[in-house]
C-alpha cells in the first residue's frame, strides 16, 4: 500500500513516527463512464482556463483561495508547509475517552497507521496495547490534504486505526426531522420489538455482498452476449401497516422460521408482559361477539317474559269464562232447572279444561 501521509503521533513526551494508509477502497463498487447517448462515444472532461480558453495539463494545475470579494489568491504547497501549525506533521493527542462518547455521525474517513522505522515499533505497540487494555480511543488533531481535522485513534486487529472526524459544528440538528407529536408506545409493543431484534440473530459478515453490483454485472454480461437482460426480481409489496402488534408478531415468526427455530411470538409476549397479546383486529371482533352474545341473551329473556305474560293472560281469560258460565247457570229459569243444571255442568267441565290447557 502507498502511504498518503507521513508524520508522527505526539503522545505526551513520546513521539511515534508513523505512515498513514487508506483503510478503505471503492474500486469494487459500481462505476459508470459518461458517453454520448447518440453514438456511444466517451465523454472526457478537460481542464480549460477560463481566461485564454486553452486546455491546461495536470502539472500546471495549482491551488487558489477565493476571498470574500471573489478575488482568487494563489496558494502553493510551500506556503502551506510554512503555516505555524504543529499538526501539519504531527498528530497531537488531546485526550483519551470511551468509544461510546463519539457520535458515529462525526466519522469521516478511515486510515491505518503503521510504524515508520524500527525505532517506532515499540512506542507504537505500547500505545496500541494501552488503547486496547483501557478500552478507550485517543482524540487528537491533524492537518491532512490541506485542512486540519479531528482524528480518533483506536486499536484494531493488531494495528492502530485512525478515523478523521467532522467538527461538532458540521453536524446538523435532527430536530427538524424528529416527530413533532408525542407518540405513546405500549409496553407489550416495546417487548415484541425487542423480541424481534433478538430473533434476527447476529450479523454474519460472510453473507454481506453488493446485490446491486452483481445485478449490473449480469446485465453487462447479457448485453455482451447479445441476449436479453435478465428480468428484475419483483420486490415484495409492503402492505399498509394497520395493526402494529400483528406486524411485529408476524415478523418475529418469520425471523424464527428463517433460522429453523420453532415457537411463536405469543410465547415471548406472554413472558415479557405476563398476558396474552391480542391484536387490534381481534379485540374488535371479540367486542362485537360479546355484544352479540349479550344481545342474544337479552332477546331470550324478553321472549321468556312475553311467553309468561301471554300464558298469564290466557289463564286469566279462562277463569273469567268459567266465572261467567257459573253466573249464567245460576240466572236460568226455575222451570228448566234440570236441563240448565246439566248444561251448566257441561260448561263448567269445558271451562276447567280450557283453563288447564291455558295454564299448561
Amino acid at each position: 500500500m502507498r502511504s498518503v501521509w507521513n508524520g508522527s503521533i505526539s503522545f505526551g513526551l513520546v513521539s511515534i513516527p508513523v505512515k498513514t494508509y487508506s483503510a478503505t477502497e471503492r474500486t469494487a463498487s459500481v462505476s459508470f463512464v459518461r458517453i454520448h447517448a447518440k453514438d456511444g462515444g466517451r465523454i472526457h472532461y478537460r481542464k480549460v482556463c477560463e481566461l485564454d480558453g486553452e486546455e491546461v495539463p495536470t502539472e500546471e494545475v495549482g491551488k487558489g483561495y477565493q476571498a470574500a470579494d471573489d478575488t482568487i489568491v494563489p496558494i502553493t504547497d510551500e506556503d502551506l508547509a510554512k503555516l505555524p501549525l504543529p499538526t501539519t506533521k504531527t498528530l497531537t493527542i488531546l485526550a483519551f475517552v470511551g468509544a461510546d462518547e463519539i457520535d458515529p455521525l462525526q466519522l469521516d474517513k478511515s486510515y491505518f497507521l503503521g510504524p515508520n522505522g524500527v525505532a517506532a515499533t515499540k512506542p507504537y505497540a505500547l500505545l496500541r496495547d494501552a488503547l486496547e487494555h483501557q478500552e478507550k480511543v485517543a482524540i487528537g488533531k491533524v492537518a491532512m490534504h490541506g485542512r486540519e481535522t479531528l482524528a480518533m485513534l483506536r486499536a484494531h486487529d493488531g494495528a492502530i486505526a485512525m478515523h478523521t472526524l467532522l467538527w461538532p459544528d458540521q453536524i446538523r440538528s435532527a430536530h427538524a426531522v424528529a416527530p413533532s407529536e408525542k407518540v405513546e408506545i405500549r409496553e407489550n409493543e416495546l417487548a415484541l420489538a425487542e423480541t424481534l431484534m433478538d430473533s434476527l440473530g447476529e450479523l454474519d459478515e460472510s453473507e454481506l455482498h453488493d446485490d446491486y453490483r452483481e445485478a449490473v454485472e449480469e446485465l453487462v454480461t447479457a448485453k455482451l452476449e447479445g441476449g436479453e437482460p435478465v428480468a428484475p426480481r419483483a420486490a415484495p409489496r409492503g402492505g399498509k401497516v394497520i395493526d402494529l402488534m400483528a406486524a411485529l408478531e408476524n415478523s418475529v415468526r418469520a425471523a424464527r422460521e428463517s433460522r429453523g427455530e420453532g415457537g411463536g411470538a405469543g410465547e415471548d409476549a406472554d413472558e415479557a408482559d405476563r398476558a396474552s397479546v391480542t391484536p387490534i383486529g381481534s379485540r374488535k371482533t371479540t367486542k362485537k361477539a360479546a355484544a352479540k352474545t349479550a344481545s342474544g341473551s337479552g332477546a331470550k329473556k324478553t321472549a321468556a317474559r312475553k311467553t309468561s305474560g301471554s300464558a298469564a293472560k290466557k289463564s286469566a281469560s279462562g277463569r273469567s269464562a268459567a266465572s261467567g258460565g257459573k253466573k249464567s247457570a245460576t240466572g236460568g229459569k226455575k222451570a228448566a232447572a234440570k236441563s240448565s243444571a246439566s248444561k251448566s255442568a257441561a260448561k263448567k267441565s269445558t271451562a276447567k279444561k280450557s283453563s288447564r290447557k291455558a295454564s299448561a
Side-chain angles (χ1 to χ4, degrees):
M1 290 188 292
R2 184 177 62 89
S3 63
V4 296
W5 181 84
N6 295 341
S8 60
I9 300 174
S10 178
F11 178 31
L13 298 178
V14 179
S15 181
I16 310 172
V18 293
K19 289 185 176 183
T20 306
Y21 307 91
S22 179
T24 60
E25 59 180 357
R26 298 184 179 273
T27 56
S29 61
V30 175
S31 61
F32 299 99
V33 296
R34 302 287 181 177
I35 64 170
H36 188 189
K38 184 178 181 179
D39 53 21
R42 285 282 300 272
I43 295 178
H44 297 276
Y45 293 94
R46 298 178 179 178
K47 303 178 180 66
V48 178
C49 177
E50 64 177 11
L51 297 179
D52 56 21
E54 295 183 359
E55 185 177 355
V56 180
T58 303
E59 58 271 14
E60 294 182 12
V61 176
K63 298 183 182 70
Y65 184 87
Q66 188 170 359
D69 59 354
D70 293 337
T71 301
I72 297 178
V73 181
I75 302 294
T76 64
D77 292 338
E78 289 76 13
D79 294 332
L80 296 175
K82 295 177 182 179
L83 289 177
L85 289 176
T87 56
T88 54
K89 286 295 182 182
T90 303
L91 193 159
T92 306
I93 295 178
L94 304 176
F96 293 90
V97 299
D100 56 351
E101 297 183 35
I102 304 301
D103 192 334
L105 288 175
Q106 286 188 258
L107 298 176
D108 191 10
K109 295 182 179 180
S110 302
Y111 301 89
F112 288 136
L113 299 181
N116 189 5
V118 178
T121 302
K122 187 170 183 178
Y124 176 93
L126 174 63
L127 176 59
R128 176 201 61 196
D129 293 348
L131 290 172
E132 188 172 11
H133 184 263
Q134 290 292 322
E135 296 182 351
K136 290 187 176 182
V137 297
I139 303 298
K141 293 196 301 183
V142 63
M144 292 178 60
H145 307 303
R147 62 188 179 94
E148 188 178 56
T149 181
L150 288 173
M152 179 183 76
L153 305 183
R154 67 183 182 94
H156 174 74
D157 199 17
I160 296 178
M162 180 181 75
H163 304 273
T164 56
L165 305 176
L166 300 175
W167 297 98
D169 59 359
Q170 292 179 293
I171 306 299
R172 294 178 176 176
S173 173
H175 179 72
V177 297
S180 57
E181 66 279 358
K182 185 178 180 180
V183 181
E184 183 179 355
I185 303 297
R186 295 178 295 176
E187 292 185 3
N188 51 0
E189 292 174 338
L190 183 60
L192 266 179
E194 293 174 349
T195 301
L196 175 59
M197 295 169 62
D198 296 335
S199 299
L200 292 177
E202 299 179 356
L203 181 66
D204 186 359
E205 294 187 1
S206 63
E207 296 181 357
L208 299 179
H209 56 277
D210 191 346
D211 293 330
Y212 181 76
R213 183 187 66 186
E214 293 180 359
V216 171
E217 291 175 349
E218 292 177 1
L219 172 64
V220 172
T221 301
K223 283 182 172 291
L224 289 175
E225 295 176 353
E228 291 294 330
V230 180
R233 293 183 293 270
R237 294 184 178 180
K240 184 178 180 181
V241 177
I242 299 177
D243 190 340
L244 180 59
M245 292 296 296
L248 288 171
E249 290 175 352
N250 293 335
S251 299
V252 172
R253 189 176 298 107
R256 288 180 169 177
E257 289 177 355
S258 65
R259 295 191 304 168
E261 296 181 1
E267 297 177 1
D268 293 283
D270 290 341
E271 294 177 2
D273 200 42
R274 296 299 179 185
S276 61
V277 178
T278 304
I280 295 174
S282 299
R283 287 197 291 271
K284 290 182 178 178
T285 305
T286 304
K287 289 181 180 178
K288 290 181 179 179
K292 288 182 179 179
T293 304
S295 176
S297 177
K300 290 180 179 178
K301 289 181 180 179
T302 304
R305 290 175 182 172
K306 289 182 179 179
T307 304
S308 176
S310 176
K313 287 182 180 179
K314 289 182 180 180
S315 177
S317 177
R319 290 173 183 172
S320 298
S323 178
K326 289 180 180 179
K327 289 181 181 179
S328 298
T330 306
K333 293 182 178 181
K334 293 180 180 181
K338 292 182 180 181
S339 177
S340 178
S342 62
K343 290 180 179 179
S344 177
K347 288 180 179 180
K348 288 181 179 181
S349 177
T350 304
K352 288 181 179 180
K353 290 180 179 181
S354 176
S355 177
R356 289 174 182 173
K357 289 182 179 179
S359 299

